[in-house]
Amino acid sequence: MASTLPLSLRDSVEDAAGISVTAEEALDWFRKMSLIRRFEERAEEAYGKGKIGGFLHLYIGEEAIAVGAMAALQPEDDVITHYRDHG
C-alpha cells in the first residue's frame, strides 16, 4: 500500500533504538495526540465556563507521552493512571 504522506516521510523510519515505525503507525499516533489535544482544549473551555468543578490539571503538551507509552505496551501489561490522565 502506497503512503499518502509527504515524500519527506519514508514508509518506515527506524529510530536510534532500532525500532521501526511505519508511516501508517506514525499517522495513527499523530491522530491520537490530536484527539487528546482537542479534548483537553474543550475541557479547558468547559472549566472556564464553570461547567467542571474542582481542579482541572491539563495534559496539553504531553500528548506524546500517553500515546507513546500506550504504543509500547504489551497485551499482558497493566496501566493505572492518577494525574493529568484525561488523554
Side-chain angles (χ1 to χ4, degrees), residues 49-78:
K49 293 177 181 177
K51 295 182 178 183
I52 298 174
F55 296 101
L56 178 67
H57 301 285
L58 297 174
Y59 201 65
I60 290 177
E62 301 178 44
E63 299 87 354
I65 296 168
V67 173
M70 296 304 292
L73 292 175
Q74 299 299 313
E76 66 274 9
D77 294 334
D78 295 317

Side-chain angles (χ1 to χ4, degrees), residues 11-74:
D11 286 334
S12 178
V13 177
E14 191 169 306
D15 72 7
I19 299 169
S20 181
V21 177
T22 66
E24 186 175 315
E25 288 173 314
L27 185 57
D28 177 57
W29 296 342
F30 176 76
R31 286 181 176 139
K32 288 175 181 174
M33 289 187 290
S34 296
L35 178 63
I36 293 169
R37 173 66 63 99
R38 285 193 307 273
F39 176 85
E40 291 283 317
E41 290 169 343
R42 292 280 180 104
E44 183 177 30
E45 287 176 25
Y47 185 77
K49 293 177 181 177
K51 295 182 178 183
I52 298 174
F55 296 101
L56 178 67
H57 301 285
L58 297 174
Y59 201 65
I60 290 177
E62 301 178 44
E63 299 87 354
I65 296 168
V67 173
M70 296 304 292
L73 292 175
Q74 299 299 313

